[in-house]
Amino acid sequence: MKEKSIVMLGCFDTKGEDFTYLFQCLGNQGQPIITINTGVMETLVDFPIDVDNESVADASGTSLEAIKESGDRGKAVELMGMGASKILADLVSKDRIKGVVGMGGGGGTYIILEAMQAIPLGIPKLCLSTVVAKDLSRQIKVKDITMMSSVVDVAGLNKISRLLIKQAAAAISAMAEVIVDNSIPIKKNIAISMFGNTTKCVDKCTQLLKEKGYEVMAFHATGVGGATMESLVREGVFDAVLDVTTTELADELCGGILSAGPDRLTAASEMGIPQIVVPGCLDMVNFAQTDTLPKKYSSRKLYSWAPDVTLMRTNSKENKTLGKQLVDKLKQAKATVEILIPLKGISQIDNVGEIFYDPEANNALFESIKENAKDHINIIEMDAHINDKVFANMLVERLLNLLK
């Protein structure tokens, strides 16, 4: 079997001098290197190109000639990123990669980050970029990508660029040589979703599961958190999901800022792993500062969780829809799924005397869940609040029963 290599990825046509130096620095680190050229123009560099730009273009379903003839820079960037992603996916399937490093400006960074989507968790990914100060969340998505500022443009070597390129080579080399410690015995890996409003429940569940020898990984239901959990479930990282906090469904429905997208609550069902699901924090939709709230919601019940976080209470109509959506997603499950309902409240501020306490709205949610789950999914109702210890105990008990 061929040894694993560091992949050096980028537009070698316009950044040839910089990539030549990066190639030399990686070589000085003793690293075997696979080079992938994503530039569309003629390329002349002083190092071997293992995957040329024609191959990258072909992998995207088109040809380099067609990309050039179109004269559409944006489309060229999109296609070369797509092609590079497919090539990296193939290298991953052949166990050829131990790290990926790239450099670029705006277009080059997009290509690199798109390509890196094909690399699973744990294989280090580093991008030296001119646009690190920009919001790159859409490009990075849920991947463990390390961004490093180039400070100066990636446009020829100078005192600053030499230093940072050398550091980037040293960084990716060091990360690639890290050995995972498997000495700690773990029964199984459990994903759990949380929010500030469900922290007490999640903390107690985590404690109980760890005492039983399980590894528990919590994901903050901030949109990116839920999407990351779904992505890692699809990568086969987890043996079960304890989805205590499904609030991101409410943001998706009502246009809140913490939506995890339409695929939230689907990965465990597709992968055939057991899951316990709670309608945790479906009493709220997240917005930023109060003055950013859509006008149509101005008369709704609101709560300032922090200066930059405004929560809106969901109403009975929205909760009826959310209950159906939650169940419809879970009906596709290939493994056992149970829904646990805490009848006394589904968030910290949905409790007697608290601002979001609304039994009528909650009842609409609970009845919708039960009506749509009938004859499909086991429902367990508890006369408890979501943050009560007795509810956490029941969650863990039911999950362990599914894992037997």
Side-chain angles (χ1 to χ4, degrees):
M1 186 177 69
K2 293 184 178 180
E3 64 180 336
K4 294 184 181 182
S5 302
I6 299 287
V7 171
M8 186 178 82
L9 169 77
C11 298
F12 301 162
D13 52 358
T14 58
K15 314 292 184 187
E17 184 180 3
D18 305 85
F19 276 104
T20 297
Y21 187 65
L22 176 58
F23 184 87
Q24 293 170 355
C25 292
L26 290 169
N28 292 337
Q29 291 287 334
Q31 296 295 342
I33 308 162
I34 296 174
T35 59
I36 301 177
N37 182 21
T38 60
V40 299
M41 296 186 287
E42 184 179 353
T43 303
L44 295 172
V45 291
D46 295 328
F47 58 85
I49 298 177
D50 299 301
V51 182
D52 60 27
N53 49 9
E54 291 185 357
S55 299
V56 174
D58 290 346
S60 73
T62 184
S63 67
L64 188 62
E65 183 180 359
I67 290 175
K68 288 180 178 180
E69 287 179 353
S70 74
D72 187 335
R73 183 183 185 278
K75 195 64 177 178
V77 167
E78 180 183 350
L79 289 169
M80 296 305 278
M82 185 188 308
S85 178
K86 290 185 177 180
I87 288 167
L88 285 179
D90 181 61
L91 290 170
V92 168
S93 71
K94 295 174 180 175
D95 200 24
R96 294 287 311 283
I97 301 177
K98 63 177 178 178
V100 183
V101 61
M103 301 186 293
T109 296
Y110 178 94
I111 292 172
I112 292 162
L113 297 183
E114 179 64 24
M116 286 178 174
Q117 299 304 309
I119 309 297
L121 173 74
I123 297 178
K125 316 158 189 64
L126 188 149
C127 179
L128 185 68
S129 171
T130 64
V131 292
V132 170
K134 184 180 176 181
D135 179 6
L136 298 171
S137 57
R138 288 191 178 187
Q139 289 75 38
I140 294 173
K141 300 176 184 175
V142 301
K143 291 296 179 177
D144 53 329
I145 298 172
T146 300
M147 299 300 300
M148 180 176 175
S149 174
S150 65
V151 180
V152 294
D153 202 353
V154 183
L157 296 176
N158 55 59
K159 183 177 181 179
I160 294 175
S161 64
R162 282 192 186 91
L163 172 63
L164 296 181
I165 290 172
K166 192 172 185 178
Q167 289 177 342
I172 194 67
S173 297
M175 288 191 283
E177 300 303 330
V178 171
I179 299 174
V180 177
D181 182 7
N182 293 316
S183 62
I184 302 174
I186 299 296
K187 284 184 178 179
K188 292 181 183 295
N189 296 304
I190 311 296
I192 189 168
S193 57
M194 70 173 294
F195 222 31
N197 272 285
T198 56
T199 297
K200 287 184 179 180
C201 176
V202 172
D203 284 351
K204 184 61 178 177
C205 290
T206 300
Q207 174 198 334
L208 294 171
L209 287 167
K210 284 186 174 181
E211 288 174 355
K212 296 289 186 179
Y214 291 90
E215 179 96 318
V216 182
M217 303 182 202
F219 294 86
H220 202 175
T222 56
V224 172
T228 301
M229 184 177 77
E230 299 282 323
S231 175
L232 294 178
V233 168
R234 287 190 170 89
E235 288 186 18
V237 173
F238 300 109
D239 300 286
V241 176
L242 182 49
D243 217 337
V244 175
T245 315
T246 48
T247 184
E248 289 151 319
L249 299 182
D251 280 62
E252 174 72 6
L253 176 67
C254 299
I257 62 173
L258 299 186
S259 167
D263 292 334
R264 179 70 173 90
L265 208 67
T266 60
S269 296
E270 292 172 11
M271 295 299 292
I273 62 174
Q275 55 185 322
I276 299 290
V277 178
V278 181
C281 292
L282 284 181
D283 59 323
M284 59 184 66
V285 181
N286 293 264
F287 294 99
Q289 293 83 356
T290 306
D291 59 5
T292 68
L293 197 77
K295 288 184 179 180
K296 63 180 179 179
Y297 295 137
S298 59
S299 62
R300 296 285 291 276
K301 184 178 291 185
L302 306 173
Y303 179 70
S304 179
W305 180 257
D308 60 342
V309 179
T310 302
L311 305 178
M312 180 185 77
R313 195 6 164 140
T314 52
N315 59 28
S316 295
K317 181 180 179 181
E318 291 157 351
N319 281 343
K320 185 175 181 179
T321 300
L322 286 168
K324 184 178 187 304
Q325 288 183 347
L326 183 144
V327 173
D328 284 348
K329 289 172 181 283
L330 298 177
K331 282 181 181 178
Q332 311 304 318
K334 297 177 183 177
T336 306
V337 55
E338 292 183 348
I339 301 174
L340 268 68
I341 299 176
L343 295 173
K344 289 187 176 179
I346 54 178
S347 79
Q348 178 179 312
I349 56 176
D350 173 33
N351 207 342
V352 178
E354 296 290 345
I355 189 167
F356 276 9
Y357 183 63
D358 188 341
E360 183 179 339
N362 278 1
N363 188 59
L365 174 64
F366 301 157
E367 290 302 315
S368 177
I369 290 173
K370 289 187 289 184
E371 178 184 343
N372 287 283
K374 189 177 180 181
D375 301 326
H376 295 282
I377 299 170
N378 185 33
I379 304 290
I380 299 174
E381 297 178 90
M382 284 196 68
D383 189 29
H385 185 269
I386 194 169
N387 286 326
D388 289 345
K389 289 183 179 180
V390 66
F391 187 69
N393 289 337
M394 177 60 78
L395 287 175
V396 172
E397 179 184 325
R398 299 306 304 174
L399 183 65
L400 294 178
N401 183 59
L402 296 186
L403 285 167
K404 285 181 181 178

